[in-house]
Amino acid sequence: MIAGVLQFEPAWGVKDANFKKIESLCRNAKLDLLVLPELSTTGYLFLSKKELSSHAEEFPGGETSSFLQELSIKTGGFVVAGVAEKDEGIFYNSAVLFGRKGHMGTYRKVHLFSTEKKVFEPGNLGFPVFDIGVAKVGMMVCFDWIFPEAARTLALSGADIIAHPSNLVMPYCPDAASTRALENNVFYLLSNRTGEERRKTLHLKFIGSSRIIGTKGEVLSSADKEERLLSCKIDPQKARTKRITPQNDLFSDRRSDQYKL
Ligand code: ACM
């Protein structure tokens, strides 16, 4: 299958401009799975719930859902995107999975970062895994990476691929992602935004460094700080065996009875 990761700088609060940019950066791309960054259509820094309320949407049902379904049809595969989700007056920093027929699933960021805690609620849907036919896909969002339980839970639930929409500001994740891929024998699609955002006294610079990583932690494709689409061929079957020597299996050798979790 062909996996794609888009790295770009969303314009804060201007969905139309972001839809156009995503569409243009993905023009003519044919992908089985495309991953977009965290909060990819709205921008990242929200100063209050009131402000967030006019940008967040229900999934499915809003203009972002229509856009993502269209994008899935145009690219010929599935799309994972970071979005601002509103559900019964509560806001979640979510990742959604869309296919040509529409919404297939939602993951709500479990580990909120810094000032996100003021406007979003922590996720309450666990770490679900979705079958897209050619592979099983699990999602996590940005800061989830520093809790290895997130990737492990996805892998133990059968994910062949971890799709990771991000707005990274600290430099550690891209290398750690190789470790998450290796220790779980999964593919890892890290889609990070680039550029910066200033909102009143808040100022963040995002690190870029998006990557497509193989099951042994090898970097198959990577970006620096530029806006671009990464893509490469991967074989999800490689994630299906957890055997690493004739005597060792990453999952059945686990000693849950000895761990304190
Ligand atoms: C982050 O979780 N956006 C750093």
Side-chain angles (χ1 to χ4, degrees):
M1 64 176 280
I2 309 288
V5 157
L6 184 66
Q7 173 167 299
F8 77 107
E9 177 170 12
W12 188 91
V14 202
K15 278 184 200 161
D16 262 0
N18 294 325
F19 293 164
K20 283 202 182 85
K21 190 182 268 188
I22 294 166
E23 202 180 344
S24 125
L25 287 165
C26 296
R27 183 156 300 137
N28 300 326
K30 288 292 163 222
L31 302 163
D32 296 291
L33 177 64
L34 166 66
V35 185
L36 307 180
E38 178 182 15
L39 295 169
S40 56
T41 60
T42 58
Y44 179 71
L45 282 171
F46 289 93
L47 301 177
S48 66
K49 289 185 184 180
K50 188 162 180 276
E51 183 180 72
L52 176 55
S53 180
S54 49
H55 298 270
E57 292 176 43
E58 290 182 0
F59 287 87
E63 57 176 335
T64 301
S65 291
S66 307
F67 169 72
L68 293 173
Q69 183 173 0
E70 271 299 300
L71 186 63
S72 158
I73 292 166
K74 281 186 185 140
T75 54
F78 295 84
V79 177
V80 168
V83 294
E85 186 197 0
K86 173 159 52 182
D87 183 36
E88 298 187 340
I90 296 175
F91 304 106
Y92 300 98
N93 183 343
S94 298
V96 287
L97 173 67
F98 275 76
R100 58 190 344 274
K101 292 185 183 152
H103 179 253
M104 287 182 58
T106 298
Y107 162 72
R108 293 173 171 160
K109 186 175 186 178
V110 163
H111 306 98
L112 297 176
F113 181 68
S114 186
T115 56
E116 287 173 29
K117 291 185 176 183
K118 292 189 176 164
V119 293
F120 292 109
E121 285 301 308
N124 55 3
L125 301 176
F127 290 90
V129 169
F130 300 93
D131 193 343
I132 61 167
V134 280
K136 289 188 178 159
V137 179
M139 301 177 273
M140 57 190 206
V141 175
C142 206
F143 195 52
D144 284 327
W145 73 268
I146 208 165
F147 302 90
E149 295 88 346
R152 181 63 107 197
T153 301
L154 289 172
L156 288 173
S157 302
D160 306 309
I161 300 173
I162 293 179
H164 189 194
S166 293
N167 278 189
L168 295 164
V169 290
M170 298 194 297
Y172 318 109
C173 173
D175 289 342
S178 281
T179 305
R180 295 288 98 82
L182 172 66
E183 67 200 5
N184 291 296
N185 198 63
V186 293
F187 290 92
Y188 196 114
L189 308 181
L190 170 61
S191 171
N192 192 32
R193 64 162 288 173
T194 187
E196 45 193 294
E197 233 172 63
R198 269 176 217 279
R199 307 281 338 279
K200 294 220 166 130
T201 57
L202 301 175
H203 177 213
L204 289 180
K205 279 191 181 167
F206 301 95
I207 67 163
S209 302
S210 295
R211 291 181 181 177
I212 298 177
I213 298 169
T215 54
K216 295 294 169 274
E218 71 278 27
V219 177
L220 302 173
S221 183
S222 64
D224 185 13
K225 291 199 165 22
E226 69 282 15
E227 295 191 306
R228 73 178 271 216
L229 176 68
L230 303 176
S231 69
C232 75
K233 201 168 170 184
I234 62 171
D235 177 4
Q237 289 302 323
K238 284 190 178 164
R240 295 273 163 106
T241 170
K242 304 300 176 185
R243 189 148 290 281
I244 50 167
T245 77
Q247 293 78 24
N248 294 103
D249 182 282
L250 285 176
F251 285 2
S252 58
D253 281 1
R254 293 175 67 246
R255 293 290 311 278
S256 313
D257 59 320
Q258 298 293 311
Y259 306 149
K260 198 169 181 181
L261 290 173

